Amino acid sequence: MRLPILVYPDRRLKEQSLPVTDFDASLHKLLDDMNDTMMASSGIGLAAIQVGIPLRVLLINLPDEEGNQFPENLIEVINPVILEKRGSTTYTEGCLSVPEYYDDVERAEWIRVEFFTRHGERREIETDGLLAVAFQHEMDHLDGHLFIEKLSFLKRKKFEKEWKKKLKEKK
């Protein structure tokens, strides 16, 4: 089932997400619904808070070179913790909660993350490139942060001005 995605400046996007304690059918349904939502919205990642559920849950499904996403590439991430990070890289990021806006964001180039699967199994991943960026972007959501907060003061001011204008035009 497709869920509605919260859009900036919805205050719920600022909420701290709570750890998952029950790896049960309701969690599995949330994960399935989040995947339906992410795929229908052409996203590569989605945090539960973006659909109004303040739980430490996120999904990532990176496309291949042709832009195709496959179910076997879906990563379901519960209660993630970054154990280690190194280096620095800049990627042009976008967000389903800040539609049609993209900007360069600096993040760690390599990360090691611990998380749990939908069945409560502990996993660890070491990654770099777009997958590392996606993990960091989605994990920021779990702490109530959006990628636009990482912009310089001037870029943020420009974004706010353009965003307000865009919202007025939609009314």
Side-chain angles (χ1 to χ4, degrees):
M1 180 175 85
R2 189 170 177 192
L3 305 169
I5 296 174
L6 304 181
V7 175
Y8 177 82
D10 193 305
R11 289 186 182 146
R12 292 172 287 176
L13 291 167
K14 292 283 194 189
E15 282 184 50
Q16 279 276 351
S17 295
L18 302 171
V20 170
T21 54
D22 296 321
F23 294 80
D24 57 10
S26 64
L27 173 65
H28 298 184
K29 179 164 177 21
L30 172 62
L31 288 163
D32 294 342
D33 290 349
M34 285 175 60
N35 189 45
D36 291 346
T37 303
M38 180 179 71
M39 298 308 286
S41 304
S42 301
I44 65 168
L46 185 68
I49 193 64
Q50 291 179 271
V51 293
I53 310 292
L55 288 175
R56 297 190 73 77
V57 173
L58 63 91
L59 302 177
I60 298 172
N61 190 336
L62 298 185
D64 66 10
E65 296 79 30
E66 288 83 40
N68 300 309
Q69 290 170 290
F70 299 100
E72 60 269 19
N73 296 335
L74 178 66
I75 305 171
E76 297 175 328
V77 180
I78 320 295
N79 299 336
V81 176
I82 293 179
L83 302 174
E84 189 179 354
K85 52 182 156 182
R86 289 189 221 131
S88 176
T89 190
T90 301
Y91 262 80
T92 302
E93 295 186 24
C95 181
L96 295 175
S97 291
V98 188
E100 300 170 22
Y101 182 79
Y102 302 88
D103 215 325
D104 291 343
V105 176
E106 187 175 332
R107 298 200 182 266
E109 183 177 32
W110 176 92
I111 59 172
R112 185 165 58 97
V113 181
E114 174 185 80
F115 62 94
F116 294 88
T117 68
R118 69 167 50 211
H119 301 291
E121 299 158 338
R122 185 189 165 285
R123 294 279 190 267
E124 201 172 288
I125 187 171
E126 294 181 15
T127 188
D128 60 5
L130 182 56
L131 185 55
V133 168
F135 260 98
Q136 293 169 85
H137 177 108
E138 299 307 330
M139 288 177 70
D140 277 354
H141 280 298
L142 304 182
D143 295 323
H145 299 291
L146 295 169
F147 82 102
I148 55 174
E149 295 173 42
K150 294 192 172 292
L151 302 178
S152 69
F153 178 78
L154 291 176
K155 280 188 172 185
R156 181 75 187 265
K157 285 291 182 197
K158 182 179 180 223
F159 162 77
E160 292 291 348
K161 184 178 176 183
E162 290 173 5
W163 193 258
K164 284 178 185 170
K165 181 181 175 190
K166 183 178 166 180
L167 290 178
K168 281 183 185 177
E169 289 171 358
K170 285 189 174 186
K171 288 184 180 180

